[in-house]
Tab-separated table of all heavy atoms in Angstrom:
chain	number	residue	atom	x	y	z
A	300	SER	N	17.337	8.914	15.801
A	300	SER	CA	18.636	9.446	15.378
A	300	SER	C	19.081	8.920	14.019
A	300	SER	O	20.064	9.392	13.452
A	300	SER	CB	19.711	9.096	16.421
A	300	SER	OG	20.009	7.698	16.397
A	301	LEU	N	18.351	7.926	13.480
A	301	LEU	CA	18.713	7.347	12.191
A	301	LEU	C	18.509	8.361	11.068
A	301	LEU	O	17.626	9.212	11.145
A	301	LEU	CB	17.880	6.094	11.915
A	301	LEU	CG	18.063	4.925	12.881
A	301	LEU	CD1	17.083	3.803	12.554
A	301	LEU	CD2	19.496	4.399	12.831
A	302	LYS	N	19.315	8.241	10.043
A	302	LYS	CA	19.220	9.154	8.918
A	302	LYS	C	18.162	8.682	7.924
A	302	LYS	O	18.101	7.511	7.561
A	302	LYS	CB	20.568	9.276	8.203
A	302	LYS	CG	21.675	9.890	9.058
A	302	LYS	CD	21.348	11.320	9.451
A	302	LYS	CE	22.473	11.939	10.275
A	302	LYS	NZ	22.124	13.301	10.734
A	303	GLY	N	17.358	9.629	7.476
A	303	GLY	CA	16.357	9.331	6.462
A	303	GLY	C	16.815	9.793	5.103
A	303	GLY	O	18.021	9.853	4.822
A	304	ARG	N	15.877	10.152	4.258
A	304	ARG	CA	16.220	10.620	2.912
A	304	ARG	C	16.879	11.989	2.987
A	304	ARG	O	16.547	12.823	3.824
A	304	ARG	CB	14.955	10.711	2.061
A	304	ARG	CG	14.305	9.348	1.810
A	304	ARG	CD	13.039	9.516	0.999
A	304	ARG	NE	12.407	8.221	0.737
A	304	ARG	CZ	11.254	8.076	0.096
A	304	ARG	NH1	10.616	9.148	-0.349
A	304	ARG	NH2	10.745	6.878	-0.091
A	305	LYS	N	17.818	12.200	2.108
A	305	LYS	CA	18.544	13.465	1.990
A	305	LYS	C	19.232	13.868	3.291
A	305	LYS	O	19.430	15.048	3.565
A	305	LYS	CB	17.588	14.580	1.533
A	305	LYS	CG	16.948	14.322	0.177
A	305	LYS	CD	16.017	15.453	-0.220
A	305	LYS	CE	15.373	15.175	-1.577
A	305	LYS	NZ	14.440	16.261	-1.976
A	306	GLY	N	19.571	12.876	4.109
A	306	GLY	CA	20.329	13.157	5.318
A	306	GLY	C	19.508	13.600	6.502
A	306	GLY	O	20.037	13.779	7.612
A	307	ASP	N	18.207	13.832	6.330
A	307	ASP	CA	17.362	14.242	7.439
A	307	ASP	C	17.073	13.055	8.353
A	307	ASP	O	17.210	11.897	7.946
A	307	ASP	CB	16.035	14.804	6.919
A	307	ASP	CG	16.222	16.074	6.106
A	307	ASP	OD1	17.187	16.797	6.395
A	307	ASP	OD2	15.415	16.322	5.190
A	308	THR	N	16.671	13.329	9.585
A	308	THR	CA	16.242	12.251	10.462
A	308	THR	C	14.900	11.728	9.976
A	308	THR	O	14.154	12.426	9.291
A	308	THR	CB	16.114	12.742	11.913
A	308	THR	OG1	15.274	13.893	11.942
A	308	THR	CG2	17.471	13.092	12.488
A	309	ILE	N	14.580	10.498	10.336
A	309	ILE	CA	13.370	9.864	9.810
A	309	ILE	C	12.116	10.455	10.454
A	309	ILE	O	12.141	10.949	11.578
A	309	ILE	CB	13.400	8.340	10.005
A	309	ILE	CG1	13.437	7.974	11.480
A	309	ILE	CG2	14.583	7.736	9.279
A	309	ILE	CD1	13.350	6.493	11.730
A	310	GLY	N	11.008	10.384	9.722
A	310	GLY	CA	9.755	10.949	10.179
A	310	GLY	C	8.989	10.033	11.112
A	310	GLY	O	9.412	8.919	11.415
A	311	ILE	N	7.830	10.519	11.566
A	311	ILE	CA	7.015	9.785	12.537
A	311	ILE	C	6.552	8.445	11.977
A	311	ILE	O	6.586	7.419	12.655
A	311	ILE	CB	5.788	10.629	12.947
A	311	ILE	CG1	6.225	11.953	13.557
A	311	ILE	CG2	4.926	9.858	13.939
A	311	ILE	CD1	7.055	11.829	14.796
A	312	ALA	N	6.126	8.429	10.712
A	312	ALA	CA	5.642	7.178	10.112
A	312	ALA	C	6.747	6.129	10.090
A	312	ALA	O	6.506	4.950	10.379
A	312	ALA	CB	5.117	7.438	8.707
A	313	SER	N	7.965	6.549	9.762
A	313	SER	CA	9.093	5.606	9.731
A	313	SER	C	9.454	5.142	11.135
A	313	SER	O	9.846	3.993	11.339
A	313	SER	CB	10.311	6.264	9.076
A	313	SER	OG	10.074	6.493	7.706
A	314	GLN	N	9.331	6.034	12.115
A	314	GLN	CA	9.596	5.639	13.495
A	314	GLN	C	8.639	4.532	13.926
A	314	GLN	O	9.039	3.552	14.559
A	314	GLN	CB	9.452	6.842	14.420
A	314	GLN	CG	10.518	7.912	14.227
A	314	GLN	CD	10.237	9.171	15.032
A	314	GLN	OE1	9.631	9.106	16.091
A	314	GLN	NE2	10.661	10.309	14.509
A	315	ARG	N	7.384	4.679	13.559
A	315	ARG	CA	6.397	3.644	13.867
A	315	ARG	C	6.731	2.344	13.149
A	315	ARG	O	6.575	1.254	13.694
A	315	ARG	CB	5.001	4.110	13.473
A	315	ARG	CG	4.427	5.203	14.372
A	315	ARG	CD	3.064	5.673	13.868
A	315	ARG	NE	2.100	4.580	13.800
A	315	ARG	CZ	1.377	4.158	14.829
A	315	ARG	NH1	1.501	4.737	16.005
A	315	ARG	NH2	0.530	3.171	14.684
A	316	SER	N	7.195	2.460	11.901
A	316	SER	CA	7.568	1.279	11.132
A	316	SER	C	8.712	0.517	11.803
A	316	SER	O	8.678	-0.711	11.904
A	316	SER	CB	7.963	1.694	9.711
A	316	SER	OG	8.443	0.585	8.975
A	317	TYR	N	9.717	1.251	12.277
A	317	TYR	CA	10.853	0.605	12.952
A	317	TYR	C	10.402	-0.086	14.235
A	317	TYR	O	10.811	-1.225	14.519
A	317	TYR	CB	11.932	1.642	13.273
A	317	TYR	CG	12.941	1.840	12.166
A	317	TYR	CD1	12.743	2.787	11.173
A	317	TYR	CD2	14.101	1.071	12.105
A	317	TYR	CE1	13.660	2.968	10.145
A	317	TYR	CE2	15.034	1.249	11.098
A	317	TYR	CZ	14.805	2.199	10.120
A	317	TYR	OH	15.724	2.360	9.109
A	318	LEU	N	9.561	0.581	15.020
A	318	LEU	CA	9.096	-0.029	16.265
A	318	LEU	C	8.253	-1.273	15.995
A	318	LEU	O	8.343	-2.270	16.713
A	318	LEU	CB	8.287	0.983	17.074
A	318	LEU	CG	9.095	2.083	17.774
A	318	LEU	CD1	8.158	3.072	18.457
A	318	LEU	CD2	10.074	1.501	18.787
A	319	THR	N	7.450	-1.223	14.934
A	319	THR	CA	6.669	-2.400	14.553
A	319	THR	C	7.593	-3.556	14.179
A	319	THR	O	7.329	-4.718	14.519
A	319	THR	CB	5.735	-2.067	13.378
A	319	THR	OG1	4.862	-1.016	13.758
A	319	THR	CG2	4.917	-3.281	12.975
A	320	SER	N	8.700	-3.245	13.514
A	320	SER	CA	9.667	-4.287	13.149
A	320	SER	C	10.344	-4.875	14.380
A	320	SER	O	10.685	-6.060	14.401
A	320	SER	CB	10.726	-3.718	12.192
A	320	SER	OG	10.142	-3.372	10.948
A	321	VAL	N	10.521	-4.061	15.428
A	321	VAL	CA	11.072	-4.593	16.677
A	321	VAL	C	10.094	-5.587	17.289
A	321	VAL	O	10.502	-6.643	17.807
A	321	VAL	CB	11.392	-3.461	17.670
A	321	VAL	CG1	11.851	-4.046	19.016
A	321	VAL	CG2	12.479	-2.543	17.124
A	322	LEU	N	8.803	-5.288	17.231
A	322	LEU	CA	7.797	-6.246	17.709
A	322	LEU	C	7.907	-7.569	16.956
A	322	LEU	O	7.799	-8.649	17.541
A	322	LEU	CB	6.391	-5.670	17.541
A	322	LEU	CG	6.033	-4.420	18.350
A	322	LEU	CD1	4.598	-3.988	18.026
A	322	LEU	CD2	6.193	-4.670	19.835
A	323	VAL	N	8.120	-7.461	15.636
A	323	VAL	CA	8.300	-8.667	14.823
A	323	VAL	C	9.540	-9.437	15.272
A	323	VAL	O	9.511	-10.672	15.405
A	323	VAL	CB	8.409	-8.284	13.330
A	323	VAL	CG1	8.836	-9.486	12.496
A	323	VAL	CG2	7.087	-7.732	12.819
A	324	ALA	N	10.633	-8.725	15.533
A	324	ALA	CA	11.874	-9.364	15.988
A	324	ALA	C	11.659	-10.095	17.309
A	324	ALA	O	12.177	-11.209	17.517
A	324	ALA	CB	12.980	-8.312	16.134
A	325	ILE	N	10.901	-9.497	18.207
A	325	ILE	CA	10.629	-10.122	19.498
A	325	ILE	C	9.894	-11.437	19.308
A	325	ILE	O	10.205	-12.442	19.968
A	325	ILE	CB	9.821	-9.170	20.399
A	325	ILE	CG1	10.670	-7.951	20.777
A	325	ILE	CG2	9.347	-9.877	21.667
A	325	ILE	CD1	9.891	-6.844	21.473
A	326	ARG	N	8.935	-11.467	18.390
A	326	ARG	CA	8.206	-12.718	18.136
A	326	ARG	C	9.102	-13.770	17.503
A	326	ARG	O	8.934	-14.967	17.748
A	326	ARG	CB	7.002	-12.462	17.217
A	326	ARG	CG	5.843	-11.723	17.844
A	326	ARG	CD	5.232	-12.434	19.035
A	326	ARG	NE	4.713	-13.759	18.769
A	326	ARG	CZ	3.487	-14.027	18.302
A	326	ARG	NH1	2.675	-13.035	17.974
A	326	ARG	NH2	3.093	-15.275	18.151
A	327	VAL	N	10.043	-13.351	16.643
A	327	VAL	CA	10.970	-14.314	16.059
A	327	VAL	C	11.843	-14.921	17.150
A	327	VAL	O	12.051	-16.142	17.201
A	327	VAL	CB	11.860	-13.647	14.986
A	327	VAL	CG1	12.953	-14.618	14.522
A	327	VAL	CG2	11.019	-13.205	13.794
A	328	ILE	N	12.342	-14.081	18.027
A	328	ILE	CA	13.262	-14.529	19.076
A	328	ILE	C	12.554	-15.377	20.123
A	328	ILE	O	13.091	-16.371	20.600
A	328	ILE	CB	13.943	-13.300	19.731
A	328	ILE	CG1	14.875	-12.635	18.700
A	328	ILE	CG2	14.726	-13.697	20.977
A	328	ILE	CD1	15.413	-11.292	19.121
A	329	ASP	N	11.344	-14.999	20.500
A	329	ASP	CA	10.574	-15.780	21.479
A	329	ASP	C	9.117	-15.790	21.026
A	329	ASP	O	8.313	-14.960	21.445
A	329	ASP	CB	10.710	-15.168	22.881
A	329	ASP	CG	10.137	-16.075	23.966
A	329	ASP	OD1	9.414	-17.036	23.622
A	329	ASP	OD2	10.402	-15.819	25.156
A	330	PHE	N	8.804	-16.729	20.170
A	330	PHE	CA	7.491	-16.735	19.515
A	330	PHE	C	6.344	-16.849	20.505
A	330	PHE	O	5.339	-16.164	20.393
A	330	PHE	CB	7.405	-17.882	18.511
A	330	PHE	CG	6.096	-17.924	17.775
A	330	PHE	CD1	5.873	-17.084	16.689
A	330	PHE	CD2	5.080	-18.787	18.158
A	330	PHE	CE1	4.665	-17.104	16.003
A	330	PHE	CE2	3.869	-18.822	17.482
A	330	PHE	CZ	3.666	-17.976	16.405
A	331	TYR	N	6.485	-17.722	21.502
A	331	TYR	CA	5.368	-18.031	22.377
A	331	TYR	C	5.215	-17.073	23.555
A	331	TYR	O	4.108	-16.841	24.033
A	331	TYR	CB	5.487	-19.471	22.886
A	331	TYR	CG	5.385	-20.486	21.760
A	331	TYR	CD1	6.527	-21.111	21.258
A	331	TYR	CD2	4.160	-20.779	21.178
A	331	TYR	CE1	6.439	-22.012	20.211
A	331	TYR	CE2	4.057	-21.682	20.125
A	331	TYR	CZ	5.205	-22.301	19.647
A	331	TYR	OH	5.122	-23.175	18.611
A	332	LYS	N	6.325	-16.493	24.021
A	332	LYS	CA	6.237	-15.622	25.195
A	332	LYS	C	6.667	-14.191	24.922
A	332	LYS	O	6.635	-13.340	25.815
A	332	LYS	CB	7.076	-16.194	26.342
A	332	LYS	CG	6.583	-17.544	26.841
A	332	LYS	CD	7.418	-18.032	28.022
A	332	LYS	CE	6.899	-19.371	28.542
A	332	LYS	NZ	7.712	-19.859	29.698
A	333	GLY	N	7.066	-13.917	23.666
A	333	GLY	CA	7.563	-12.586	23.340
A	333	GLY	C	6.561	-11.485	23.626
A	333	GLY	O	6.922	-10.391	24.078
A	334	GLN	N	5.275	-11.770	23.365
A	334	GLN	CA	4.246	-10.757	23.577
A	334	GLN	C	4.037	-10.410	25.052
A	334	GLN	O	3.436	-9.386	25.364
A	334	GLN	CB	2.921	-11.229	22.982
A	334	GLN	CG	2.913	-11.291	21.462
A	334	GLN	CD	1.681	-11.987	20.932
A	334	GLN	OE1	1.540	-13.193	21.070
A	334	GLN	NE2	0.789	-11.236	20.325
A	335	GLU	N	4.547	-11.270	25.935
A	335	GLU	CA	4.377	-11.035	27.371
A	335	GLU	C	5.521	-10.218	27.967
A	335	GLU	O	5.462	-9.826	29.136
A	335	GLU	CB	4.283	-12.379	28.102
A	335	GLU	CG	3.116	-13.242	27.629
A	335	GLU	CD	3.169	-14.638	28.217
A	335	GLU	OE1	4.012	-14.872	29.124
A	335	GLU	OE2	2.374	-15.491	27.791
A	336	THR	N	6.567	-9.946	27.171
A	336	THR	CA	7.720	-9.221	27.700
A	336	THR	C	7.387	-7.747	27.894
A	336	THR	O	6.507	-7.184	27.246
A	336	THR	CB	8.933	-9.336	26.763
A	336	THR	OG1	8.599	-8.731	25.501
A	336	THR	CG2	9.313	-10.788	26.538
A	337	LYS	N	8.141	-7.115	28.802
A	337	LYS	CA	7.939	-5.690	29.084
A	337	LYS	C	8.218	-4.847	27.844
A	337	LYS	O	7.499	-3.881	27.562
A	337	LYS	CB	8.841	-5.251	30.230
A	337	LYS	CG	8.607	-3.811	30.687
A	337	LYS	CD	9.472	-3.474	31.887
A	337	LYS	CE	9.119	-2.088	32.447
A	337	LYS	NZ	9.214	-1.006	31.499
Side-chain angles (χ1 to χ4, degrees):
S300 71
L301 297 175
K302 296 297 181 184
R304 295 178 180 177
K305 299 180 180 179
D307 296 330
T308 53
I309 63 175
I311 301 299
S313 292
Q314 292 172 30
R315 288 177 59 84
S316 175
Y317 271 90
L318 286 176
T319 301
S320 293
V321 175
L322 296 179
V323 170
I325 293 170
R326 288 300 301 275
V327 172
I328 292 170
D329 190 346
F330 182 81
Y331 296 103
K332 296 183 179 180
Q334 291 170 289
E335 300 172 9
T336 62
K337 186 176 187 303

